[in-house]
Amino acid sequence: MRKVTQLLLSGALVLGMLPFTGNVNAAAPSFKDVPASHWAKASIDAAVSKGYFKGYSDGTFKPGATVTRAEFAALLSRVSKVTPETEQVNVFRDLTGHWSEGEVNRAVSLGFLNASDYPNGFKPSTALTREEMAKWLSSGLAAQNEDFKQALKDTDTANTLVPVAEFYKGGLKKAAYPYVSVVLGTGLMAGYPDGTFGPGKTTTRAEAAVILSRYQQVQESKADSYRDLNEMREVGLTGTNLTSATPYVYSKTYGTDVLNTFDKIINKSFSLRNNLGTMTIHRMIVADAHTKTEIKNLYGKMFIDKAYSSSVREDYYDVFVEATVTPNGNNLNSLAFLNATGNGLTSGYSFTSGTVESYGISNLPRVEYVKDGFFKKGVTKRFWMLARLNRAPGGPIGSDGGYIKVGNDMGSFGFPVVY
């Protein structure tokens, strides 16, 4: 989303709104500060024509003005197509007599916001942060749709990999993982070009108009209709996005009806051969990219960009594996590491890209490990490495005909085969 200059205004008519009286569906007026070339003009016109926004008496819309809590709560109460079972009243003492009181109460009734999140008062003139916005939007979806409610549950997204820079660099609370996952996965909100989500940043009127237009569509959909959200949910549940990002399914085990799933190996320590050390695999992320600029999923954009050091091939998926290795000695050089298990999943390749730095990714570097001291005896190192998966049905990753051997006592991981 294009960043626009933000202006902080105050007062009852900050949003250019009066208490809502229903959809207008009239032709939007022409605002002198929203030219035909403005990036959000279509969304602004649509929001005004439906009565969600109003302009100012001087003929302006003020697209760069910052949105407050009261203003966005009012907008959400207007755009929702749900009728609350019960109408909340007198939710916040500091809203008594405030222009937004009725609409904020309705937003609470609709499940967009929880009064317990504001124990010291709503403080309606406070600028709304993007983290708050993500929580309100996703909570509203969950309140009206069981599928979205499930997507917010701890089992689905609380432990997922959120594709924003703050996940590794810090700045995104763990409690916000589900909410940010839902808004990113549905396209309701987007990150910035540098990979950040900006949880503490605020939003402008123009941006809010665009988000409202998206919400109108998303509230009519189901959570499982969004590929990126499906991938984040699968990663949260299993550690990989394999079956939601590709047409693959898990192979049957030796002709039985039992499916071999990724939990065979995830977060389980196993020995590298030749007494080189131990390894634990934490996540396996499939990037669906056809070129370095044609990337189909959000996870792919987290690892691949124009500066990506590896070639992108049409016949393979690039697969990124997050692993922990603890060497038994200082002899784990690059050749030894590549042969540490004898397959392409657990002995990956190094890679670099511009996103490595912007997202704070710790990657397997393109160095000689002994000489540069990347691996040291007894020192546990966690990092991402590159493997590849054949796009052809039944194509294996690594060796052994598609089975990933991770240790004599753990059996085989039946890797994805279409059947």
Side-chain angles (χ1 to χ4, degrees):
M1 187 179 294
R2 180 180 169 186
K3 188 176 181 180
V4 293
T5 302
Q6 297 182 342
L7 303 175
L8 182 60
L9 303 177
S10 60
L13 298 181
V14 164
L15 206 64
M17 303 190 302
L18 293 169
F20 190 51
T21 56
N23 287 347
V24 178
N25 289 318
S30 177
F31 299 109
K32 58 186 179 183
D33 57 351
V34 185
S37 59
H38 193 280
W39 66 275
K41 179 174 172 55
S43 295
I44 291 171
D45 288 349
V48 171
S49 68
K50 292 178 180 180
Y52 304 148
F53 280 98
K54 294 182 184 294
Y56 291 83
S57 58
D58 62 358
T60 64
F61 180 77
K62 295 182 173 57
T66 303
V67 174
T68 67
R69 288 175 179 170
E71 294 161 355
F72 199 68
L75 290 170
L76 292 178
S77 73
R78 298 173 183 184
V79 76
S80 177
K81 293 187 176 182
V82 177
T83 300
E85 294 182 3
T86 58
E87 290 281 357
Q88 299 288 328
V89 296
N90 302 321
V91 178
F92 298 106
R93 291 184 179 180
D94 61 345
L95 282 183
T96 302
H98 192 271
W99 68 268
S100 68
E101 181 181 10
E103 291 176 308
V104 173
N105 288 339
R106 187 167 191 272
V108 174
S109 303
L110 291 167
F112 286 109
L113 59 143
N114 193 326
S116 63
D117 289 340
Y118 304 96
N120 299 317
F122 188 60
K123 300 178 182 178
S125 297
T126 301
L128 184 77
T129 66
R130 282 170 56 84
E131 182 179 318
E132 285 179 294
M133 178 177 283
K135 186 172 185 177
W136 290 11
L137 290 166
S138 53
S139 296
L141 291 172
Q144 70 178 58
N145 186 298
E146 282 296 321
D147 202 16
F148 280 109
K149 184 176 181 180
Q150 179 63 39
L152 285 181
K153 285 188 175 180
D154 289 348
T155 53
D156 278 28
T157 49
N159 294 308
T160 195
L161 171 66
V162 187
V164 296
E166 290 90 352
F167 184 85
Y168 282 115
K169 289 187 172 182
L172 184 66
K173 302 171 187 173
K174 185 173 175 59
Y177 289 2
Y179 307 116
V180 176
S181 295
V182 167
V183 295
L184 288 176
T186 57
L188 274 172
M189 297 176 71
Y192 292 96
D194 62 357
T196 60
F197 180 74
K201 291 185 177 180
T202 55
T203 306
T204 65
R205 282 165 57 86
E207 292 167 340
V210 172
I211 289 171
L212 284 183
S213 68
R214 294 172 181 171
Y215 188 87
Q216 291 177 79
Q217 300 174 42
V218 176
Q219 71 176 333
E220 300 287 344
S221 308
K222 291 186 176 181
D224 63 7
S225 66
Y226 295 94
R227 171 182 172 170
D228 284 318
L229 181 54
N230 288 339
E231 291 185 30
M232 291 180 212
R233 293 173 73 175
E234 186 183 0
V235 170
L237 289 166
T238 70
T240 181
N241 63 332
L242 179 68
T243 63
S244 51
T246 75
Y248 287 74
V249 295
Y250 291 102
S251 63
K252 294 182 179 180
T253 305
Y254 305 117
T256 71
D257 292 329
V258 180
L259 295 183
N260 244 347
T261 57
F262 192 63
D263 61 12
K264 271 284 200 180
I265 61 173
I266 186 172
N267 293 326
K268 295 180 173 69
S269 178
F270 62 90
S271 296
L272 301 177
R273 65 187 184 183
N274 300 322
N275 197 35
L276 290 173
T278 58
M279 172 182 278
T280 303
I281 292 179
H282 305 290
R283 293 188 179 99
M284 180 178 71
I285 302 296
V286 179
D288 187 4
H290 294 274
T291 68
K292 293 182 181 181
T293 56
E294 186 185 357
I295 306 170
K296 303 294 186 180
N297 59 345
L298 282 179
Y299 279 134
K301 294 175 182 177
M302 190 173 181
F303 295 93
I304 299 174
D305 63 4
K306 292 180 180 179
Y308 183 48
S309 59
S310 183
S311 61
V312 176
R313 295 174 50 175
E314 288 281 347
D315 53 341
Y316 284 92
Y317 291 105
D318 282 32
V319 180
F320 298 89
V321 179
E322 187 178 28
T324 294
V325 167
T326 305
N328 284 335
N330 293 320
N331 60 337
L332 192 53
N333 59 33
S334 56
L335 181 60
F337 180 73
L338 284 174
N339 290 281
T341 60
N343 65 68
L345 174 65
T346 54
S347 298
Y349 294 87
S350 60
F351 71 96
T352 60
S353 68
T355 59
V356 165
E357 182 175 353
S358 60
Y359 281 85
I361 294 170
S362 177
N363 61 313
L364 187 65
R366 308 190 73 173
V367 299
E368 175 45 60
Y369 310 135
V370 173
K371 180 180 179 180
D372 291 82
F374 183 76
F375 289 122
K376 294 181 180 179
K377 181 180 179 179
V379 178
T380 300
K381 180 77 73 169
R382 184 163 176 159
F383 55 88
W384 287 89
M385 57 188 179
L386 169 66
R388 282 200 169 90
L389 170 64
N390 198 320
R391 285 182 183 265
I397 182 172
S399 59
D400 297 318
Y403 284 88
I404 303 304
K405 295 188 183 302
V406 296
N408 294 331
D409 60 334
M410 296 178 66
S412 298
F413 170 58
F415 209 75
V417 184
V418 171
Y419 64 92

